[in-house]
Amino acid sequence: MKLIIVKNYDEVSEEASKIVIDQLTSHPNSILGLATGSTPIGLYQKLIEANQMKKISFKNVTTFNLDEYIGLDMKHPQSYHQFMYHQLFSKIDINMSNTHLPKNDINHMHEHAKAYNDLLSNTKIDLQILGIGSNGHIGFNEPGTPFGNETFIVKLEEQTRKDNMYFFNSLEEVPEYAITMGIKNIMRSKKIILLASGIEKSDAIYKMIYGDVTESIPASVLQLHPNVTVIMDDQASSKLPK
Ligand code: PGA
């Protein structure tokens, strides 16, 4: 694992944007794996600026998102479909038909998981962007998820729902289930960057890098991937040995 430690969130976003910009400059038809949550917002902002300044184009880029809540209408403001549209897709020159998120209708969730997995199995993500949960999850692969899992339906942990509550009005509104790429899908990516900012990520970051490779810390599986770069700020890296 390559570790990049910078001062603050803005610098995390800046370092990550350099890697994505390099990727799109050298391979304009790249397949990107995208994440939601608060962490990648600064990165997306910088990619929007680079696109508007014509440094990069998304015209030939394809994207696959990690996950989506189950049971929220795709038009719900907190659905990841809406998040991606407002934080990135509507502001860049991407062809919306090249963007992919799991469909999330509760009545067909297992069919949607299979369909998304089939799409992923027929492609290979060049660069996967990840955040990390305070409990060590990646995507919505919660602690205890078998490393062999492919796209599946997950019951979210109480901690994850609390962490994500600030996007909603109350804990009750945070969905209990989600559809997520599995660890196996994530590990097939050619290259991975994981972004982390803030003290609440420091424990998970320490265990991911220095702990045992264990299903109880899903991100620890990344120790087994040949091309991972972790970009973190001072606070997120504060538990790492100096
Ligand atoms: P966050 O979530 O970016 O909102 O902290 C990260 C994650 O849960 O993967």
Side-chain angles (χ1 to χ4, degrees):
M1 262 185 203
K2 182 174 171 199
L3 309 184
I4 299 178
I5 300 175
V6 291
K7 276 211 285 303
N8 53 37
Y9 176 68
D10 188 57
E11 292 185 10
V12 169
S13 305
E14 180 66 26
E15 287 302 314
S17 74
K18 284 185 202 160
I19 294 174
V20 180
I21 288 169
D22 279 355
Q23 174 71 36
L24 297 192
T25 305
S26 59
H27 298 91
N29 57 351
S30 290
I31 302 175
L32 298 181
L34 300 179
T36 50
S38 51
T39 308
I41 292 176
L43 161 63
Y44 294 156
Q45 200 54 47
K46 290 185 190 296
L47 295 179
I48 292 165
E49 284 160 22
N51 185 226
Q52 288 174 350
M53 289 162 66
K54 309 247 183 280
K55 276 207 240 166
I56 48 170
S57 170
F58 290 83
K59 279 198 176 117
N60 297 312
V61 169
T62 301
T63 68
F64 288 90
N65 264 78
L66 283 167
D67 45 20
E68 175 59 289
Y69 290 119
I70 294 276
L72 282 189
D73 192 273
M74 284 195 279
K75 296 262 164 3
H76 188 287
Q78 303 314 336
S79 76
Y80 289 162
H81 281 78
Q82 290 298 312
F83 177 100
M84 289 312 303
Y85 187 73
H86 293 293
Q87 297 296 339
L88 185 64
F89 298 152
S90 63
K91 299 182 174 136
I92 57 176
D93 61 349
I94 199 159
N95 179 345
M96 283 302 290
S97 64
N98 291 339
T99 68
H100 305 278
L101 286 100
K103 295 205 175 73
N104 63 345
D105 161 19
I106 200 160
N107 296 319
H108 299 282
M109 57 188 182
H110 294 288
E111 291 99 303
H112 291 324
K114 184 176 179 318
Y116 202 62
N117 203 60
D118 288 347
L119 274 179
L120 290 169
S121 304
N122 288 321
T123 190
K124 201 163 182 67
I125 290 173
D126 294 299
L127 175 61
Q128 174 69 55
I129 296 160
L130 294 178
I132 184 169
S134 62
N135 62 2
H137 73 208
I138 46 175
F140 273 137
N141 289 274
E142 298 283 38
T145 305
F147 286 161
N149 267 26
E150 298 190 314
T151 314
F152 69 107
I153 309 296
V154 57
K155 183 166 179 18
L156 298 175
E157 281 208 341
E158 185 81 0
Q159 184 62 51
T160 297
R161 294 180 64 236
K162 282 187 183 150
D163 288 348
N164 290 3
M165 200 177 103
Y166 61 93
F167 289 116
F168 294 84
N169 296 318
S170 67
L171 185 59
E172 289 67 48
E173 281 185 26
V174 184
E176 286 181 50
Y177 290 89
I179 182 167
T180 182
M181 280 191 205
I183 298 281
K184 194 168 169 187
N185 304 109
I186 294 171
M187 290 294 278
R188 283 185 67 239
S189 316
K190 289 190 202 156
K191 181 173 177 170
I192 295 175
I193 55 174
L194 184 143
L195 284 53
S197 169
I199 197 76
E200 58 287 356
K201 302 295 171 68
S202 57
D203 196 44
I205 284 287
Y206 174 80
K207 289 178 180 156
M208 169 181 80
I209 299 170
Y210 288 101
D212 294 338
V213 176
T214 164
E215 289 173 353
S216 58
I217 302 290
S220 67
V221 76
L222 299 176
Q223 293 178 31
L224 306 178
H225 190 284
N227 194 342
V228 176
T229 302
V230 184
I231 308 166
M232 58 203 138
D233 64 9
D234 277 343
Q235 287 193 8
S237 66
S238 58
K239 298 216 165 106
L240 302 184
K242 297 287 178 240

